[in-house]
Amino acid sequence: MDALTVTVRLPKVVRCPIHLLSVLYAMKSSSFLLYSILSAAIVPYAAFVVGGVTPGGRYLRTITAAVSTGTWTDDLLRPSYAIEKIPLRIGHGFDIHRMAPLAEAGQPVVIGGVVIDHLPQKWTDAEGRYVEKGGVYETELGVVAHSDGDVIYHSIVDAIFGALTLPDIGQVFQDTDPRWKGCDSSKFMEHAHTVMADYGYKVGNIDVTLILERPKVASFKPAMKKNIVNLLQTTPGRVNIKARTHERVDSVGELRSLSCHVVMTLELDT
């Protein structure tokens, strides 16, 4: 079958290449394989080459996004082995990021898609960059990360991939790849949801344990939950968010890091 080129209009500003993946998935069908994007992510138009029939039906075997920094492939999320349609799958995700003074981190604390506004906190300067080594430096905090450093979103994506026996988020969206620099992690969530749905699953339930000493996040939890529910197209009764301190122990207790665990189930979507 000869290749067919389809041109679609994209926004003039695309924050990161993951925006393009939703377009690719939306255009797939049981007869065609969307094979590559020919134009850069920052231009208003993108051309797609649509090729021949695929043995795997509706599943994409390869997605290539040609952007200014290189080529992105989705082969990792389409393994050679079969992912059986068992009724229930369980996944666990974990993430940890350093926290530092906001000016050093270069970006705010974002958790569950919510910017955590806060007053200056007592951050332990373990390396003595601002005060005596091991002393306390009062400062607004930011997260040191390649993307926006959202530990809840990263843990959920990791749990989805894990439940489906797919590689971890660090392999799929590598932190050495400049294309994901500063990327809004909601885009990772949207892509993970699309992958989950394509394999025939939906959210069973999600249990989040957020671990950080400060700032306090209780008032932000409802907005975090709402974001998760919307991004994964589920209901409030299937999403839970817990937060706890680390009793002033190690880097988390010294406000030098924050972490998150997620346990979730996927149900076969019948």
Side-chain angles (χ1 to χ4, degrees):
M1 179 181 294
D2 294 334
L4 170 66
T5 298
V6 179
T7 300
V8 296
R9 186 172 181 84
L10 298 174
K12 291 185 178 180
V13 178
V14 178
R15 185 174 181 185
C16 66
I18 201 72
H19 285 85
L20 296 175
L21 299 180
S22 60
V23 179
L24 282 167
Y25 273 86
M27 292 178 63
K28 72 179 185 295
S29 70
S30 60
S31 299
F32 295 105
L33 173 65
L34 298 173
Y35 187 75
S36 64
I37 302 175
L38 300 181
S39 63
I42 57 173
V43 299
Y45 290 92
F48 299 83
V49 174
V50 182
V53 176
T54 62
R58 68 193 184 112
Y59 295 129
L60 295 175
R61 293 297 177 188
T62 304
I63 301 175
T64 304
V67 295
S68 58
T69 52
T71 299
W72 189 90
T73 59
D74 200 34
D75 287 339
L76 288 172
L77 300 178
R78 302 300 177 196
S80 58
Y81 56 83
I83 296 180
E84 293 91 345
K85 302 287 188 179
I86 57 177
L88 184 71
R89 290 180 172 271
I90 301 173
H92 172 261
F94 172 76
D95 194 32
I96 185 169
H97 282 294
R98 290 196 303 117
M99 290 199 296
L102 181 59
E104 178 184 334
Q107 59 184 2
V109 178
V110 178
I111 307 174
V114 180
V115 176
I116 309 300
D117 294 320
H118 60 277
L119 296 173
Q121 303 291 316
K122 295 181 179 180
W123 176 79
T124 300
D125 188 355
E127 299 177 5
R129 292 195 297 273
Y130 302 94
V131 295
E132 182 181 354
K133 187 174 182 179
V136 171
Y137 179 60
E138 293 201 18
T139 177
E140 289 184 63
L141 298 170
V143 173
V144 180
H146 188 63
S147 64
D148 62 5
D150 193 322
V151 292
I152 287 184
Y153 282 2
H154 293 180
S155 297
I156 290 175
V157 171
D158 217 26
I160 291 173
F161 289 167
L164 293 169
T165 72
L166 299 173
D168 61 73
I169 186 175
Q171 289 179 265
V172 179
F173 305 112
Q174 297 181 15
D175 62 8
T176 56
D177 192 327
R179 287 169 294 184
W180 313 130
K181 180 66 175 176
C183 193
D184 181 348
S185 293
S186 67
K187 303 307 172 185
F188 301 153
M189 287 275 282
E190 290 170 351
H191 189 52
H193 174 266
T194 300
V195 171
M196 174 180 66
D198 277 356
Y199 280 114
Y201 286 89
K202 64 180 181 180
V203 171
N205 75 297
I206 300 173
D207 189 25
V208 175
T209 302
L210 176 65
I211 308 170
L212 78 165
E213 198 70 27
R214 293 287 190 280
K216 294 292 188 180
V217 297
S219 63
F220 298 100
K221 286 165 62 177
M224 296 177 190
K225 180 170 180 170
K226 182 178 180 180
N227 288 341
I228 294 168
V229 168
N230 290 339
L231 286 167
L232 298 184
Q233 299 178 28
T234 186
T235 59
R238 292 174 180 255
V239 178
N240 185 51
I241 300 176
K242 309 185 302 291
R244 55 157 298 159
T245 71
H246 217 236
E247 301 296 336
R248 293 284 177 182
V249 176
D250 66 33
S251 65
V252 176
E254 295 176 346
L255 282 66
R256 295 187 292 112
S257 65
L258 75 165
S259 64
C260 182
H261 289 269
V262 167
V263 177
M264 69 180 297
T265 59
L266 307 185
E267 297 176 352
L268 197 60
D269 191 358
T270 56

